[in-house]
């Protein structure tokens, strides 16, 4: 059923908007830069400057009730240690601890391991004329890489990924089920943490177990087992949900731009810029929610305290006030700042890791297949109310 093109309406739960949200987001930027949806009772902002402002003022735009609309509206208790659902100063204390997980040394050390994983996934596809890139690489790679970084046992990675995917997936018009809370249990990880207590090593889990810090109550201590479980669960879940979709968006976008894909195949030094442009143009997390703690004004209108507001990153990343020809894909664009990884206190800790995975995946794909088509009739977008990406993406390479 086509979307009504006369009345300005956007609904994050309506799958009709998932395939091509750009026209309605453009209208929202131009006609209603502060948009209100009365059906689901939320506000939305779409201009770059407004989204940037909201990201950088957590005292007004709070993450403490979650960053997904369903969680904010549910007003549920967020488990302690859920870093992405915290505000300063508690968030800053916890973030400082977790930031060491993503040190440049650790990220750099992962490169040969990530590349070998890509090789192992893609080499067996040689000679095939068709394969699903999400099944072959996109669904597996992020959890494998975060497992390399954090030490998540292989025996638990598949179960964790499936549980995280199931929690976020929704039916058309539906919402994420929050009735059982948002904690993902992970017995294999718990067993691994317990084993690491007795067998310390030079790894992330050992460092999290042994590092002393001053908590929000002024107490000097180390993290508890449950806190480490929550941190690692949040990090693994966030990375799994977004980076896999980046791989799909790179392949589908380049299929629509074969001339630029040929340039990348001929000159791999252009690949980091192409990854950045895909991140800008097709952000895997196209909007982020906040709870409004105090009245705030946008464009002469007041958003009252207690409201839920969506920061529409996808629209902001295509704001013509910020980018020239914003809807045009250009691998040579000097992107500068985009908002796909947020900005301010909640800037994505895993941004460097996501860029590394995207670059290596694209390098290895282009080495083997400098051109491909997409089987669009069989391709399928996954329906969730928080992330946007391909569930199936058949590539025709023969």
């Amino acid at each position: 059923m086509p979307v009504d093109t006369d009345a300005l309406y956007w609904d994050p739960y309506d799958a009709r908007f998932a395939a091509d949200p750009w026209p309605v987001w453009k209208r929202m930027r131009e006609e209603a830069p502060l948009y209100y949806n009365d059906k689901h009772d939320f506000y939305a902002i779409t201009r770059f400057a407004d989204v940037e402002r909201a990201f950088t003022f957590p005292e007004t735009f709070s993450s403490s009730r979650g960053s997904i609309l369903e969680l904010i509206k549910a007003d549920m208790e967020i488990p302690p240690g859920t870093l992405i659902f915290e505000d300063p100063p508690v968030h800053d204390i916890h973030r400082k601890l977790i930031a060491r997980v993503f040190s440049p040394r650790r990220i750099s050390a992962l490169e040969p391991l990530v590349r070998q994983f890509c090789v192992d996934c893609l080499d067996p596809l040689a000679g095939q004329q068709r394969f699903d890139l999400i099944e072959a690489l996109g669904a597996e790679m992020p959890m494998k890489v975060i497992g390399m970084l954090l030490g998540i046992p292989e025996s638990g990675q598949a179960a964790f990924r499936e549980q995280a995917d199931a929690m976020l997936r929704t039916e058309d018009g539906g919402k994420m089920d929050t009735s059982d809370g948002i904690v993902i249990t992970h017995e294999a990880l718990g067993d691994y943490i317990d084993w690491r207590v007795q067998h310390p090593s030079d790894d992330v889990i050992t460092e999290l177990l042994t590092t002393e810090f001053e908590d929000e109550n002024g107490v000097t201590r180390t993290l508890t087992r449950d806190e480490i479980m929550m941190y690692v669960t949040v990090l693994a879940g966030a990375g799994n949900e977004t980076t896999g979709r980046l791989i799909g968006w790179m392949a589908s976008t380049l299929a629509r731009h074969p001339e630029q894909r040929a340039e990348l195949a001929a000159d791999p030094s252009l690949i980091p810029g192409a990854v950045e442009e895909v991140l800008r143009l097709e952000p895997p997390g196209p909007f982020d929610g906040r709870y409004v703690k105090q009245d705030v004004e946008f464009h002469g209108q007041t958003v009252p305290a207690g409201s839920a507001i969506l920061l529409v990153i996808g629209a902001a990343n295509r704001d013509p006030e910020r980018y020239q020809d914003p809807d045009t894909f250009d691998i040579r664009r000097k992107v500068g700042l985009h908002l796909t990884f947020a900005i301010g206190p909640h800037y994505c800790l895993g941004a460097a890791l996501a860029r590394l995975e995207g670059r290596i995946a694209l390098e290895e794909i282009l080495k083997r297949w400098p051109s491909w088509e997409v089987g669009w009739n069989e391709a399928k977008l996954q329906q969730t109310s928080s992330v946007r990406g391909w569930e199936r993406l058949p590539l025709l390479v023969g």
Side-chain angles (χ1 to χ4, degrees), residues 136-211:
L137 186 65
E140 295 288 335
M141 183 175 176
M143 184 54 67
K144 289 289 185 182
V145 173
I146 207 75
M148 296 172 192
L149 181 66
L150 298 174
I152 297 176
E154 291 219 8
S155 60
Q157 288 178 15
F160 182 95
R161 186 184 68 247
E162 289 166 6
Q163 195 173 357
D165 285 348
M167 186 181 76
L168 288 172
R169 184 179 289 111
T170 61
E171 300 300 325
D172 181 15
K175 302 180 182 182
M176 190 177 81
D177 183 5
T178 60
S179 58
D180 294 326
I182 59 168
V183 177
I184 300 175
T185 57
H186 195 340
E187 293 181 12
L189 177 58
D191 293 342
Y192 180 72
I193 292 172
D194 294 338
W195 185 80
R196 267 285 170 247
V197 170
Q198 303 299 324
H199 304 85
S201 178
D202 179 25
D203 73 347
V204 166
I205 298 298
T206 300
E207 189 167 343
L208 292 176
L209 282 164
T210 57
T211 298

Side-chain angles (χ1 to χ4, degrees), residues 14 53 60 123 135 190 220 262 270 293 348 358 371 378 386:
D14 190 333
R53 171 189 169 197
T60 299
D123 274 358
E135 180 182 25
T220 299
L270 296 171
K293 295 182 73 172
C348 177
S371 66
E378 290 78 41
S386 57

Side-chain angles (χ1 to χ4, degrees), residues 244-397:
R245 286 164 176 75
L246 168 60
I247 293 169
W249 284 122
M250 290 191 302
S252 62
T253 302
L254 289 172
R256 293 187 168 109
H257 299 276
E259 302 87 356
Q260 295 190 67
R261 181 180 57 196
E263 291 183 66
L264 295 176
D267 184 2
S269 71
L270 296 171
I271 286 176
V275 173
E276 213 63 29
E277 179 71 336
V278 172
L279 284 166
R280 180 192 71 85
L281 204 69
E282 297 282 6
F287 40 86
D288 218 0
R290 292 292 186 270
Y291 175 73
V292 179
K293 295 182 73 172
Q294 54 196 16
D295 288 4
V296 63
E297 187 175 298
F298 286 100
H299 306 286
Q301 296 174 270
T302 298
V303 179
S307 299
I309 190 166
L310 291 181
L311 289 49
V312 188
I313 296 163
N317 278 353
R318 297 190 183 205
D319 187 341
E321 292 295 315
R322 180 76 189 192
Y323 305 100
Q324 187 174 4
D325 299 323
D327 295 315
T328 300
F329 177 68
D330 180 3
I331 59 174
R332 287 184 167 82
R333 183 189 296 274
K334 304 301 182 187
V335 175
L337 176 69
H338 59 69
L339 297 174
T340 297
F341 293 123
I343 191 175
H346 282 281
Y347 179 76
C348 177
L349 281 169
L353 182 59
R355 289 180 169 113
L356 175 82
E357 291 181 65
R359 172 176 61 80
I360 292 174
L362 191 49
E363 287 171 354
E364 295 299 326
I365 290 168
L366 285 167
K367 278 181 190 176
R368 291 161 178 78
W369 305 284
S371 66
W372 61 82
E373 299 291 337
V374 170
W376 295 112
N377 289 338
E378 290 78 41
K380 180 185 178 184
L381 278 171
Q382 185 173 15
Q383 170 65 18
T384 87
S385 59
S386 57
V387 291
R388 177 173 173 266
W390 298 104
E391 185 173 329
R392 291 194 306 267
L393 191 70
L395 298 192
L396 314 177
V397 297

Side-chain angles (χ1 to χ4, degrees), residues 89-90 93-94 97 212-223 227:
V90 173
I93 295 169
H94 294 165
L97 280 168
E212 290 192 340
F213 70 103
E214 184 176 310
D215 69 14
E216 60 272 22
N217 300 311
V219 177
T220 299
R221 63 181 180 88
T222 57
L223 291 169
E227 286 174 328

